[in-house]
Amino acid sequence: MQVRNTPDRFGVVTIGIHWLVTVAVFGLFGLGYWMVDLSYYDDWYRRGPDIHRSIGILLLMVMLLRLVWRFVNPVPRPLPDHSRFEVLASRGAHLTLYLLAFVAMVSGYLISTADGSSIKVFDWFEVPSVTGQIKRMEDTAGLVHYWSTWALVVLAGVHGLAAIKHHFIDHDDTLRRMLGTDRRRR
């Protein structure tokens, strides 16, 4: 398998980043959903948010790398049997997924740094606050984070269902290209 994308196939870097981001987004959503109900005396009360923040910062770094990679390594052209609507819907969905992911990560960062403190990333390094202390910023950022993560997960789910539809109903190579498997014999 090639490292870079070709006009017809995704390369191993694009595929790897896609699935890493997928697992991280759904994992962070699940962890966030679970940890909001933890009590102060629960062992995970501090550990859960620390893991959530650390993975969130690492995901932000991966997403920045993904953006750079996308600009220097364009995506394959659409499959010839995709309608104009499918192509435009795909581009719009991808753009919205990127936008929601960055809004979710930046708002999460702002929640955690609203009091001027930095974020420790697995005790490897710290990301400082760039805002200092801003009153009620964590409330506003919290609302943005809540709704952007829900929108991200719902749209990612629709995106996944669309790939499954292409695979099982349309019988095209849409999903195969992102799995890096051989093309369907025609």
Side-chain angles (χ1 to χ4, degrees):
M1 173 174 265
Q2 71 278 358
V3 172
R4 297 178 60 89
N5 298 340
T6 68
D8 297 315
R9 295 181 63 97
F10 289 102
V12 69
V13 173
T14 301
I15 292 170
I17 291 173
H18 175 272
W19 292 111
L20 176 66
V21 168
T22 301
V23 169
V25 164
F26 281 97
L28 284 169
F29 183 82
L31 178 59
Y33 188 80
W34 173 73
M35 72 185 186
V36 295
D37 290 330
L38 295 175
S39 73
Y40 180 79
Y41 299 103
D42 194 301
D43 288 341
W44 280 90
Y45 182 77
R46 284 181 186 63
R47 192 177 322 159
D50 287 344
I51 292 170
H52 188 85
R53 285 187 288 265
S54 292
I55 294 173
I57 293 293
L58 294 175
L59 179 60
L60 176 60
M61 295 165 72
V62 168
M63 285 297 295
L64 291 171
L65 173 68
R66 183 179 189 166
L67 266 184
V68 169
W69 183 252
R70 188 171 174 124
F71 283 116
V72 300
N73 188 38
V75 297
R77 62 182 165 249
L79 292 173
D81 51 351
H82 286 180
S83 70
R84 179 162 168 71
F85 171 77
E86 288 173 318
V87 172
L88 292 175
S90 172
R91 288 183 182 150
H94 282 99
L95 179 64
T96 306
L97 284 167
Y98 274 89
L99 179 66
L100 287 170
F102 281 108
V103 168
M105 291 180 288
V106 169
S107 60
Y109 167 81
L110 293 173
I111 294 166
S112 298
T113 60
D115 63 355
S117 62
S118 60
I119 297 174
K120 279 187 169 182
V121 179
F122 293 121
D123 290 327
W124 299 339
F125 59 92
E126 288 188 25
V127 178
S129 172
V130 295
T131 60
Q133 293 182 334
I134 298 177
K135 290 183 182 189
R136 293 187 301 278
M137 181 172 70
E138 68 273 9
D139 297 332
T140 303
L143 273 173
V144 171
H145 190 69
Y146 178 85
W147 289 110
S148 63
T149 55
W150 270 103
L152 175 61
V153 167
V154 168
L155 183 56
V158 170
H159 175 68
L161 290 173
I164 290 169
K165 174 247 184 207
H166 278 285
H167 189 75
F168 290 107
I169 295 173
D170 299 341
H171 303 288
D172 67 25
D173 290 326
T174 301
L175 182 58
R176 282 183 192 87
R177 291 200 309 180
M178 191 44 72
L179 291 172
T181 59
D182 288 335
R183 297 159 100 184
R184 181 173 61 87
R185 306 281 181 240
R186 298 187 189 238

